[in-house]
Amino acid sequence: MALLDSIGSPRDLRGLSPEQLDELAAEVRDLMIRTVATNSGHLGPNLGVVELTLAIHRVFDSPHDRVVFDTGHQSYVHKLVTGRHADFATLRKEGGVSGYPSQSESEHDIVENSHASTSLSYADGLAKAYAIRGEDRHVVAVIGDGALTGGMAWEALNNIAIAKDSRLVIVVNDNERSYTPTIGGLATALTSLRTNPRYEQVLDLVKKRLNAVPGVGHAAYDALHAVKKGMKDALAPQGLFEDLGLKYVGPVDGHDRAAMEQVLANAKRFNGPVIVHAITRKGQGYDPALRHEADQFHAPGPFDVQTGAEKPKGKIWTDHFSEAIVDLGARREDVVALTAAMMHPVGLDVFASRFPERTFDVGIAEQHAVTSAAGLAMGGLHPVFAVYATFLNRAFDQVLMDVALHRCGVTFVLDRSGVTGDDGASHNGMWDMSVLQVVPGLRLAAPRDVTRLRELLDEAVQVDDAPTVVRFPKGPPPEDVPAVDRVGGADVLVREGEQDVLVVAVGSMCTTAVDVAARLTAQGIGVTVVDPRWVKPVDPAIIELARQHRLVVSVEDNGRVGGCGATLLQALNDAGVRTPFRLHGIPQEFLDHAKRDAILARIGLDAQTIARDVVESVTALDQGPTLVEVDHTA
């Protein structure tokens, strides 16, 4: 029987010998590699934290002690030793194990938000709550060096530093090899000394006695303290953290499980917040990942286990944007690009190689990126900030008050908009068209295909007195959907029969709407399908089309509340258009992980469901008058 089969909870780890723990680590790596090779997922980060995670669970008592993972990219090992290894083959599949921590899966998971730089704030609150309630519990926050680039992490550290009674251990998982691990007896001794509660007591006693010596006491203490701090700074880069008033331990080799256990045990004994600096390597234990220069297999698609070669895949929306922004940069020297630590995922890597002086990676700092973009625009450039749609939520205030208020010409390119699927609730980009509707002057485009992506991006960067947005989904784009006519700024995609039904389709839902039209036409229902192209502001031509039809149907891959359909309905109301209305969008709920098509079918955004609803609505119209309706069942 494999060792992993005997691990039902983290407490089972404590009875294993060092040799058995090494064997377990190998089993864990092998299972993760084989699973991700089939299912896709986050591999590199998880390979890098095997020993670190085992050490955490051998030293701390989860779930009594709480372990909070920042982003959750590195939580697979945690899942495997907390009773989920038997189901791990279902990783990221519908109804299976989530790719991030999940409260519904296990009592060992407390935070499932996969947006970065949040763990320290969660941990700060938890530790303070336990201190106030008098509970003997520790909190461990595992945060990567990348997540530490986020401003929210430093806001948290600023507060953690003064929470002297918080039993909080912060494990900084540094996988960028910024520092050489400090090794040897002196480093180990200093680490033990610095985390021993008696250390601070002795320092206080020495300080009091030296300062009591007339004339030379203060100078003697300052000199002694400087020598101590100088020795420590020479051995480890803790100055930044200790200047905040935080106890620092490390750096320590995160792949040396025994060393990690010793350091964590020392940190646990210190009655106050401690930072443990662990040096790890993404992809550790799997040569193809270590050799993968771009991101050490951060999140590969399906691949061959033996060679690491990823299976061939076609071009996705991101690839086409990458080509378009490079072409744009070649034509316009004022175009600059920004990313928040997502250079490759959002397709800016090629632009960066061509125009390095015009590319800015600001780290995981979306708020800073947006306001910096405003400054670039004020300076006479046109910035393009490429970001996942779900991550723009973090910078809404900056979009509203720093860009829009000042009428700055900034273009936001939102990748992974709408239903993204496998990554679960936190990654679905279903909020952007609702939250951005309230921004005065902002213009929002949703291309239906690659040709429209290039077209709308070109139009967006020509706007220099307001923010513009271009959003597109995850995955491969559909075949181009040609227009049969243009009405105002909108493309007419279908015009068949009488003016019975007007379908207003947004972006990636245009292909679905064309399918819906074919189904309606087959049943003798006249239909017009329009793609607004620019969904904000509402095109007056669409209002007039709505006035001419018997039924208006809006279809979007965004939340129904406050989205494009709701805004269109309001515009029709304001214009006195009383045409019955049906709104199809994403229900306002957090969607469990599954393939995009499966989720769309489940929430009623597939062609068959929409067509059936339209047929029922038209039948109801034939039977008598009806009120304006919003579909709450799809």
Side-chain angles (χ1 to χ4, degrees), residues 2-5 7 13 16 20-36 42-43 45-54 57 74-82 85 88 91 284-286:
L3 265 175
L4 190 54
D5 292 335
I7 306 300
L13 298 172
L16 300 182
Q20 288 176 312
L21 288 166
D22 290 342
E23 181 182 342
L24 178 65
E27 286 183 18
V28 165
R29 283 195 169 93
D30 180 64
L31 178 57
M32 291 194 300
I33 291 167
R34 287 187 287 105
T35 303
V36 176
H42 292 96
L43 182 59
N46 285 288
L47 291 173
V49 297
V50 175
E51 290 80 13
L52 187 154
T53 305
L54 295 179
H57 278 303
Q74 72 287 56
S75 64
Y76 292 2
V77 186
H78 164 80
K79 287 174 179 276
L80 289 172
V81 299
T82 53
H85 65 279
F88 199 65
L91 179 71
Q284 178 74 10
Y286 185 48

Side-chain angles (χ1 to χ4, degrees), residues 204-463:
D204 287 340
L205 179 61
V206 170
K207 180 178 181 179
K208 289 177 183 178
R209 293 193 175 179
L210 281 177
N211 285 340
V213 179
V216 298
H218 288 289
Y221 175 76
D222 289 343
L224 178 62
H225 187 73
V227 169
K228 177 209 69 163
K229 184 168 175 55
M231 289 175 62
K232 289 162 63 180
D233 285 347
L235 289 164
Q238 74 267 326
L240 178 61
F241 296 112
E242 291 203 336
D243 285 346
L244 285 172
L246 288 163
K247 186 64 59 183
Y248 171 94
V249 181
V252 61
D253 182 355
H255 302 301
D256 185 335
R257 181 195 44 75
M260 280 302 311
E261 286 187 29
Q262 180 184 3
V263 166
L264 289 170
N266 289 333
K268 184 178 181 180
R269 289 197 297 268
F270 183 75
N271 291 318
V274 182
I275 288 182
V276 175
H277 183 182
I279 305 295
T280 64
R281 297 180 71 191
K282 288 173 75 170
Q284 178 74 10
Y286 185 48
D287 286 343
L290 293 173
R291 294 195 304 267
H292 192 263
E293 293 185 8
D295 61 7
Q296 282 73 53
F297 269 24
H298 178 82
F303 61 91
D304 181 87
V305 172
Q306 298 302 318
T307 66
E310 293 191 62
K311 296 179 180 178
K313 55 185 177 182
K315 291 171 69 172
I316 62 174
W317 280 94
T318 308
D319 298 321
H320 292 284
F321 163 69
S322 180
E323 294 173 355
I325 190 67
V326 169
D327 291 345
L328 195 56
R331 286 184 278 118
R332 289 186 47 169
E333 294 183 355
D334 64 326
V335 169
V336 297
L338 296 93
T339 177
M342 301 284 280
M343 190 73 74
H344 285 84
V346 298
L348 284 180
D349 50 312
V350 181
F351 186 94
S353 65
R354 284 281 304 274
F355 312 107
E357 73 286 353
R358 290 156 56 189
T359 308
F360 306 98
D361 186 343
V362 303
I364 302 177
E366 291 87 357
Q367 292 173 302
H368 165 69
V370 173
T371 304
S372 178
L376 287 164
M378 291 174 179
L381 301 175
H382 192 103
V384 176
F385 177 30
V387 60
Y388 282 10
T390 184
F391 296 147
L392 189 68
N393 302 348
R394 299 160 67 94
F396 172 73
D397 181 69
Q398 287 68 33
V399 173
L400 179 67
M401 293 299 178
D402 300 342
V403 176
L405 177 65
H406 296 92
R407 300 181 180 178
C408 295
V410 176
T411 296
F412 299 95
V413 174
L414 307 187
D415 199 333
R416 271 73 164 177
S417 66
V419 172
T420 57
D422 299 336
D423 282 328
S426 62
H427 273 51
N428 289 313
M430 56 177 283
W431 322 101
D432 57 293
M433 291 197 293
S434 294
V435 299
L436 294 175
Q437 289 288 351
V438 305
V439 179
L442 180 143
R443 298 185 62 194
L444 196 158
R448 65 181 181 269
D449 54 34
V450 170
T451 296
R452 257 46 62 175
L453 169 61
R454 287 180 170 272
E455 193 176 272
L456 290 167
L457 183 61
D458 277 355
E459 293 177 22
V461 298
Q462 292 173 32
V463 178

Side-chain angles (χ1 to χ4, degrees), residues 608-631:
Q608 180 178 347
T609 304
I610 296 171
R612 182 173 62 244
D613 177 81
V614 174
V615 170
E616 292 173 356
S617 298
V618 171
T619 301
L621 286 175
D622 291 338
Q623 294 172 350
T626 185
L627 297 176
V628 173
E629 298 180 34
V630 175
D631 178 18

Side-chain angles (χ1 to χ4, degrees), residues 505-550:
V506 175
S508 64
M509 300 308 297
C510 286
T511 303
T512 300
V514 170
D515 189 353
V516 169
R519 294 166 186 261
L520 297 180
T521 302
Q523 299 196 44
I525 298 173
V527 60
T528 305
V529 177
V530 296
D531 168 14
R533 297 175 65 258
W534 289 95
V535 296
K536 180 182 186 315
V538 174
D539 192 328
I542 293 179
I543 295 176
E544 292 309 308
L545 280 174
R547 198 187 303 274
Q548 299 164 14
H549 285 72
R550 298 178 63 207

